[in-house]
Amino acid sequence: MDTPSGRPARWLGSPWTRGVAAALAGAVPALTFPAPSWWWLAYVALVPWLLLVRSAPTRRRAALDGWLGGTGFILAVHHWLLPSLHIFILVLALLLGAFWAPWGVLVRVLLGDAPAAGGAARGGPARTRSGEASAAGRLATGARCTAALVLVPSGWLMVELVRSWEYLGGPWGLLGASQWQVPPALRLASVGGVWLVSLLVVAVNTAVAELIARPAARLPAVAGLLVCALAATVAWFWAPVPRITGTVRVAVVQPNRTGTPAARLDRSEALTRSLAGRGVRLVVWGESSLYTDPADHPALAARLAALSRRTGAELLINADSAHAERPGISKSAVLIGPDGPTGDRYAKMRLVPFGEYIPFRSVLGWATRVGKAAPSDRLRGTGEVVMPVAAAGGLRIGPLVCFETAFPDMSRHLARDGARVLVAQSSTSTFQDSWAPAQHASLAALRAAETWRPMVHATLTGISAVYGPRGEQIGERLGTDRSAAAVYDLPLAAGTSPYTRFGDWAVYGAMGALVLAGGYVGLRAFSRRTARARR
């Protein structure tokens, strides 16, 4: 951080103090996500971190500030994993935080003070040329600030993209996801996904940091803020919106903590029976609602089929399915009709690192000795599935299981494959009293807005929630203190959202901007070397 004179604050002279400040600054954006959900803070949450990194005395120090800030961010966003992973969460945070080191260098290059040019720095130019030098300096400052408004957000997006790889932890805590309850941001998500929202949020932070640290950059910074405001306004007034074509009545069954698997089944069964005569067409249970697969247990299948006949609805249950051909279980969404399992099922494809499998177990298997990491690996499904619900006139649903709702591409592919409703089955009972249930439930709003497909987020122990095709909340949320069955009239939408049609164009645009900037810098360096060689 800088003092009003533009020099770094004296207390940041110590590398240890500076390191702590970087980690704390990186942790601030965690407050924008649920449970605090201070979404408005997102537009300035990065400013302390940006100001700190820009004041770094060297690029190496800027990289370290980026790394430590990224570590603080990962720790804060995933702090609820501490009881499960213990000290290993720090190892993971340090590994993932390293992705922000190049971003730190980028911030210092573009937002840091540029060295004085030529003779101006040495006091040599004639007074008659001082005005020209000053004008040239202002022009260069303006160009760097304008570049920063594009490249700093683009660099941030590359960090989000890389760490979103499922084997590195997945896209939990993308900055744009903090705007899940802001209608203009949801409209932007329908155009360019959560990635476009992240770009805009970081651009606003960058412009605010420029206004604070560099008065000479006031014009491009204000222009950048106006462009961001204009982009949100244009999306709100001119972006296409889904056309509602009807409704379907669905229900969520949330048994909450019930003790044994048998008690859970009894409670789920009782809640489902209470839905009889209410016109429900689909009943959704949470993840691992059954510890045995009804396809392998005829008595259980008959019991569930009787529930379907009684309610007039089909049931989407979730079972821990064993496989005879290989050891282990898969988390399987299974559709149950009045005659038993319909044959439509989906096995979870993207597993939670360390929770459901350990990547590179031969190297990282020691995590099981210091925490509650998975003692054995779950089995992965082989592909996404769209299921027709006969009780709802053949309505096609796209199931996802737990962690998979964090991945924008999965819901997008389901929408492209014809799913009219997205259904997520989850269980966050291990983290019942943390921020995790609220943050997980919020992701469904983004997936619904991105795809124009309503989304049902059903859990065992809360928070269960339902969102319409614009990401708007439908009906009540079932909190972690509820054991209930809730009915929702879910609006159905026609059409294809721009994000579903065009995909991750915001990501490709950010990549292109960074490649062009790198090419420009490379060409300039080559030209200078060539000029020196000729002399």
Side-chain angles (χ1 to χ4, degrees), residues 177-443:
S178 66
Q179 305 303 293
W180 66 279
Q181 55 186 330
V182 183
L186 292 173
R187 190 74 58 83
L188 274 176
S190 75
V191 175
V194 67
W195 312 110
L196 182 59
V197 183
S198 283
L199 274 175
L200 182 137
V201 170
V202 181
V204 171
N205 277 272
T206 304
V208 172
E210 288 183 340
L211 283 173
I212 294 173
R214 299 168 70 171
R218 185 174 293 114
L219 182 59
V222 171
L225 290 174
L226 291 176
V227 167
C228 291
L230 180 62
T233 302
V234 168
W236 181 252
F237 286 104
W238 283 284
V241 294
R243 179 171 56 88
I244 305 302
T245 59
T247 61
V248 62
R249 181 162 288 187
V250 302
V252 169
V253 168
Q254 180 177 294
N256 218 310
R257 292 175 173 170
T258 53
T260 65
R264 178 188 302 164
L265 175 58
D266 290 342
R267 180 59 179 162
S268 297
E269 188 177 25
L271 290 171
T272 303
R273 281 198 302 267
S274 72
L275 298 170
R278 301 183 65 180
V280 174
R281 295 293 173 254
L282 176 68
V283 179
V284 185
W285 292 10
E287 181 188 14
S288 295
S289 47
L290 299 175
Y291 276 12
T292 53
D293 193 325
D296 301 325
H297 295 80
L300 177 59
R303 187 174 174 181
L304 296 172
L307 275 180
S308 177
R309 291 192 298 271
R310 181 179 181 121
T311 59
E314 294 189 27
L315 314 180
L316 187 69
I317 59 92
N318 191 278
D320 291 352
S321 303
H323 296 260
E325 65 276 11
R326 50 182 177 155
I329 64 169
S330 61
K331 303 280 188 177
S332 299
V334 182
L335 194 62
I336 307 291
D339 299 321
T342 65
D344 294 302
R345 61 169 50 226
Y346 165 71
K348 185 177 184 181
M349 296 168 56
R350 296 185 180 172
L351 306 179
V352 180
F354 299 96
E356 295 177 316
Y357 80 103
I358 295 182
F360 312 108
R361 184 177 285 273
S362 60
V363 177
L364 300 177
W366 60 271
T368 60
R369 298 193 296 271
V370 298
K372 300 177 183 178
S376 61
D377 293 347
R378 300 279 193 241
L379 302 179
R380 297 177 184 274
T382 56
E384 292 181 289
V385 176
V386 175
M387 304 176 181
V389 180
L395 177 73
R396 291 162 66 82
I397 64 172
L400 298 166
V401 181
C402 195
F403 178 60
E404 294 177 329
T405 63
F407 293 86
D409 64 304
M410 295 194 71
S411 54
R412 175 173 169 260
H413 291 157
L414 286 169
R416 287 176 65 97
D417 290 342
R420 297 287 307 281
V421 176
L422 302 175
V423 181
Q425 297 173 298
S426 177
S427 173
T428 52
S429 55
T430 304
F431 313 106
Q432 185 85 342
D433 300 317
S434 72
W435 293 4
Q439 189 172 349
H440 197 185
S442 72
L443 296 174

Side-chain angles (χ1 to χ4, degrees), residues 59-107:
R59 293 186 182 183
R60 179 177 296 181
R61 182 68 225 192
L64 183 58
D65 289 342
W67 184 0
L68 294 175
T71 300
F73 177 79
I74 294 295
L75 280 174
V77 171
H78 297 84
H79 71 275
W80 42 272
L81 286 172
L82 183 60
S84 296
L85 295 183
H86 302 313
I87 190 63
F88 197 74
I89 186 63
L90 179 59
V91 177
L92 289 178
L94 286 168
L95 290 173
L96 295 176
F99 293 128
W100 275 275
W103 181 77
V105 176
L106 181 69
V107 168

Side-chain angles (χ1 to χ4, degrees), residues 105-129:
V105 176
L106 181 69
V107 168
R108 184 184 182 277
V109 168
L110 293 173
L111 294 181
D113 292 326
R122 299 187 296 268
R127 182 174 299 178
T128 56
R129 298 180 56 193

